[in-house]
Amino acid sequence: GGGQGAEHGAAPPPNVTGSLHLGHGLTVALQDVLVRWRRMQGWEVLWLPGTDHAGIATQAVVERWLWQRRGLRRQDLSRPQFLQEVWAWKERHGEQILGQLRALGASLDWSRLSFTMDPGFSRAVTEAFVRLHRAGLIRRQQRLVSWSCALRSAVADIEVESLSLPGPTRLRVPGCPQPVTFGLLFTFAYPVEGDDGLELPVATTRPETLLGDVAVAVHPEDPRYTHLHGRFLRQPFTNRLLPIVCDRSVQPQLGTGAVKVTPGHSRLDLALALAHGLPLLSVIGEDGTVSPRGGGWLQGVQRFAAREQLLAALAELGLLRGCQDHAMALPLCSRSGDVIEQLLKEQWFLSCQGMARRAQQAVASGRLQLVPKFHEKSWRSWMENMGDWCLSRQLWWGHQIPAYWVGGGSPRGGLWVVERSEAEARARGAQLLGCPPEEVQLLQDPDVLDTWFSSSLFPFASLGWPQQTPDLQRFYPTRLLGTGSDLLFFWVARMVMLAQELTGQLPFTQVLLHSLLRDPQGRKMSKSLGNSLDPLDLIRGAPLQDLQQKLQERILDPRLLQEAKEAQRLQFPQGLPELGSDSLRLALCSHNAHGAELQLELAAALRFRRFCNKVWNCLRYVLAALQRLPRPRTHPQVLPGHPLSRWVLSRLLQAVGEVNRRLEALEVHAALAAVHHFWLRTFCDVYLEVSKGLLRDPQVADETLSTLLSCSDLGLRLLAPFSPFLAEELWQRLPKTPQDPPTICLASFPDPQSLAHWHCPEVEAQVEAMMEVVKAARGLRDTLRLGAARLPCE
C-alpha cells in the first residue's frame, strides 16, 4: 500500500487454444518491465492475469482434435457433451499457459486469476448485454452478415481480411477438394421477355449467385439501355421474371453497365433492392451449398462447384458471352481462411455509432493517449466509419445469449425478451402475454456472443463489476494497457466504447501498442499457422527433433503442418539454444516496439546471454573486492576524490535519468539501451579495469570500494525490471542493511533527484577527452603494429 498512487493493468488474456507463442512473450516482457519499474517506484500495482475462452478459435481446434484423434464430428455429440470436451481441453492447456507466464518472470497477481467463462465473469457478460439492450443499443434484426461456411458461423466484419488479386488466382478454399480460380469476370446474357433475340448482357465475378438474382439494374441515363426501361428478363434456370430497374448508383463504365441484383448475397444489392421494393432471396446455405430456393438441380452442390456447372449450362444455352481477367478484392475469414459469404440472417446487433463518437473524443481531447501517436489517425478514421456490431455467433462454446423466445414454436417472428435468467424471462413473458408464468414456453437463443464482446469487459469485469467490489473501487479505471497493434480495433476500441457506456469511465488512460513479431516470411506469428515459437523452448533450449514433435502434436491442417516443419528445418537446423529467461526478455525488449514489425534474431539473443554472463562475472569481482569493506552498504553523500570514481558515478546518474525518462515515455527499448550501455561500456569496460589499480592505492581504496558497491547496487536495480532473475540473484549477494527490503522487486528504483549531487560534467568531459586520447593511441599502435609481439629491428 501507499506509495505514489495505485495502478492497475490487465494482461491481454491469451486464448486457451494451446500455449503462448513468442508474440505473447513480447507483450508480457514489455508489460512486466513497466510493472516492475512502477512497483519499485513505490506504486501500488495490480497486474491481473487472465485467459480468454476464444470461442471460434477454441471450438475449431477442439473440433479438429476430436476428428483427428477420435473420428468424431461436433454434430456426433450433444451440446453438453461437446462443451465437456472443451472444458477438458481448457484444463489441459490453461495450466500450460500459466506455467509459461511464470517462466517468463511475469510478476502477476496470481490470486486474482480470471477466465472469461468463470461464473462471476459470465454474470458480468449477461449484465452488460441486458443493460445495452434496455438502453436500446442492442436489437435483433435481419441483415446481411459476413458468414464463414467453414465455421458455420457469422464473423465480425473486422475479422474479414481483403485479399487483393491482380487477376486469375488459384486458391484453396476449405470444403473444396480442388483449388478455385478467382480474379475472373464472366459475362452472360439474360433474354428479354417477349422479344426473341433481344438480350441484356451482365458481367459478374460470382456466377454462382445468379440463381438469387431478383432484378438487373441500369443507370437511367445510359443510352444503351433506355429502350429496355420497364421491361423484364427471363431467368433461364428458374424461369422467374426479373425486372429491369433504373438506379443512379449503377456505374455505366464498369463491366457491361448492367448490374445483376442479388440482395441475399451483396450489401450493395440489398440496399438497391430495398430502395426498389424488390424481394429478398438467399440461394446459398450456411454450409456453402446451394439451398433449395436456388433450384432443385443444384441443391446441395458446393457453391464453387455450382459455379462451374452454371457456366457450363449457360454455355450450352448459348448465353455465355465471355470471360476476362479481372483485378478484385476477395474477402477472406481471418479465422478459417474461408471465402466470406454474405448471408441474410436474424442476429443481435449492437449500435456503436454513439459510443464510437465518445471514444474518438477521448483521444482527441488527450484523455486517452495512444502510444505511438501515429495510431491516432487510424483511430479517428475507424471511429468515424463505425458500423453496427453483429454479436451473434453460431457456436456451442461461449456465453449463450441471454435472449429468450416467448410463446413456443419457431423463433422466427416470435416475441423475444432479454433477461438475466430464465426465471426473469418467464416472469417477463407472462407479463407480456397475460398468462400465468407456468404456461409460458421459453426457448433460449442457441447462439453465443462474439468473444470480443466478453473480452471488451475485461478491465472491469475481472474486478467484480457490476458489483462495487473493493477491487473495482480501488483499481478501476486502470492506468495502462499494453498490447499488440493488431488489436487496436479488435479489442482496444471495443473496451473503450463499452467501458464508457457501462461504467461512465475510460478503462485506461494510456495504451502502448507494440509492433508485431513476424516470421522470416513476414507472417504474423500464429499457432494456427504453426510458425510460432514456444518461449519455453528458447528459455530451456530444444533440439530440432523436439520442435518437429511439438508441431506434430498440434492440431494443424496437414498442408500447413508440412510447411511449418520445412520452415523449422531451414531456420533452426541445430534446434534452439538455451537462452534463459533473462536473455530472452532482454532480446525481446531491445527491439523498438514503437516502429516497424519485428523479427527476433537468435544472434541478438545470444549477445544478451553473453551480456548476462558479463554482469555475473562483474559482480563476482565486486563481491570479492567488497570482502575488504567492513562497513555496511551506503551510497556516498560526499563525492570521491579520484576523478574516475566521480566520473563513473556521474555516468550512473545520467543512466538513471535516461532510464526513467524513457520508461515514462513507454520507450522500453531505449531504457534498456541506457542500462546496457552503463553496464557494458561504462562500468565493466572502464571502471572495473581502472579499479584494479585504485584498490592497491591505500588513499583511494575505500572510496573505490564504496563506488563499486554503489554502481553494483544501483546498476542491478536499473537492470531488475528487464532481467529480474539475474538481478535478484546477484543483489541478494550484496551486503545488506536492516532497512533493505527482502527482494530487489521492492527496492526503490534509482531516482535522479536523490543522486543529483553526483553530477560532474567537468569531470565527465575530462575523462571523455582522456579516453579519446587512449582510443587514438591504441589505433596508432594497431595501425603501426607497435605491439609487444613485433620483432626488434636488426
Side-chain angles (χ1 to χ4, degrees), residues 593-624:
H594 292 199
E597 291 161 348
L598 314 173
Q599 287 187 14
L600 180 72
E601 298 180 0
L602 283 182
L606 289 170
R607 285 196 296 272
F608 278 107
R609 188 174 71 175
R610 291 192 291 272
F611 168 71
C612 290
N613 289 336
K614 185 98 171 181
V615 173
W616 182 275
N617 290 327
C618 168
L619 262 291
R620 285 180 60 191
Y621 165 81
V622 171
L623 288 168

Side-chain angles (χ1 to χ4, degrees), residues 468-489:
Q468 289 299 310
T469 64
D471 276 355
L472 187 67
Q473 295 174 353
R474 189 176 190 181
F475 293 110
Y476 184 82
T478 71
R479 180 180 180 88
L480 173 68
L481 170 76
T483 189
S485 57
D486 58 326
L487 295 183
L488 179 59
F489 304 114

